[in-house]
Amino acid sequence: ERALHALFPNLNILRLDRDTTQRKLAHEDLLKQFRSGKADVLIGTQMITKGLHFPSCTLVGVISIDSQLQIPDFRASETVFQLITQVAGRAGRSSLPGEVILQTFLPENETLKLAATQDYLRFYNQESEMRKMFNYPPYCRMGKLIFSAKNSDHIIHLSNQLREKITTLLSSDYQLSPLAPCGYSKVKDHFRFQFFVKGPSSVQISSAFKKALEGINDSRVSILVDMDPLFTFF
């Protein structure tokens, strides 16, 4: 926002993010200003990529798209493809032609190239083969346990107990990942760790979680069960 003001001092620039939308109805007010033409540029986080209709918007820029691709999550490519498709739909929604510019250090990345050409079918086929190769959904079902505590040693001790129990409750068709820090590894002075279970049946995974957690009574550690998680990193 500061850079744009310096480069184009005569433009009216709006910013839409968590900081600027804390006031009630601020979100709607900012969008109305941009839609009515009272602002020339709208800068925002991913909240401006979906479901918005701006007939006079002809140019969309996506900054540092590589950061999303580099998240160690099996859905990272899918998320980036969706994001580019959604944000591209904000430009050229009327008779005026639209243009989308992606900032990237990886112009040859296959996901970015397919997103730029909107080749959904080819992306789906490639992503599907990759998921199948590494046994990720939709070729398996997944469950995640997230641990949170002020002392990381408490988490490690308790999670090891649970992993051992879960291993005895499931057949060799199921895979347990090692315990690892979450993407947000510490929130409000609490350490966060997680591990996953992959296998053919979510019912079996859920049942194993339930049985393994029976009798667990450690108030120092908070445990969250997430079946079929949307994200495996955070």
Side-chain angles (χ1 to χ4, degrees), residues 3 9 12 21 48 66 74 79 82 140 152 188 194-195 222 231:
N12 187 7
T21 56
I48 67 172
D66 301 346
F74 78 96
T79 301
Q82 289 179 337
C140 76
S152 60
K188 295 181 179 179
Q194 61 186 0
F195 69 79
S222 172
F231 304 101

Side-chain angles (χ1 to χ4, degrees), residues 59-195:
L59 176 63
V60 169
V62 183
I63 307 301
S64 300
I65 192 65
D66 301 346
S67 62
Q68 295 293 314
L69 274 176
Q70 293 165 356
I71 293 174
D73 190 298
F74 78 96
R75 283 196 172 96
S77 293
E78 177 187 355
T79 301
V80 168
F81 189 92
Q82 289 179 337
L83 176 63
I84 294 173
T85 299
Q86 289 162 349
V87 78
R90 300 316 105 209
R93 294 178 66 88
S94 64
S95 58
L96 299 173
E99 183 179 6
V100 180
I101 298 175
L102 305 178
Q103 182 196 39
T104 177
F105 290 99
L106 306 169
E108 297 304 313
N109 179 273
E110 195 67 16
T111 297
L112 297 183
K113 289 165 67 176
L114 293 175
T117 58
Q118 297 291 279
D119 193 341
Y120 167 78
L121 185 58
R122 189 175 172 190
F123 172 78
Y124 169 82
N125 289 332
Q126 290 187 5
E127 186 68 12
S128 181
E129 284 299 314
M130 191 70 68
R131 300 272 185 95
K132 188 175 183 180
M133 183 185 304
F134 292 100
N135 191 33
Y136 276 114
Y139 298 99
C140 76
R141 303 305 293 269
M142 181 180 288
K144 177 170 70 169
L145 288 180
I146 304 172
F147 304 87
S148 175
K150 288 188 176 182
N151 189 319
S152 60
D153 291 336
H154 295 157
I155 294 176
I156 294 170
H157 176 72
L158 182 60
S159 65
N160 285 336
Q161 286 183 325
L162 286 173
R163 290 183 83 258
E164 289 177 8
K165 287 185 179 180
I166 292 169
T167 301
T168 63
L169 293 168
L170 294 171
S171 68
S172 59
D173 294 332
Y174 293 82
Q175 299 173 300
L176 275 73
S177 72
L179 182 72
C182 298
Y184 298 129
S185 59
K186 194 174 185 182
V187 177
K188 295 181 179 179
D189 295 325
H190 281 69
F191 294 95
R192 300 175 73 247
F193 286 78
Q194 61 186 0
F195 69 79

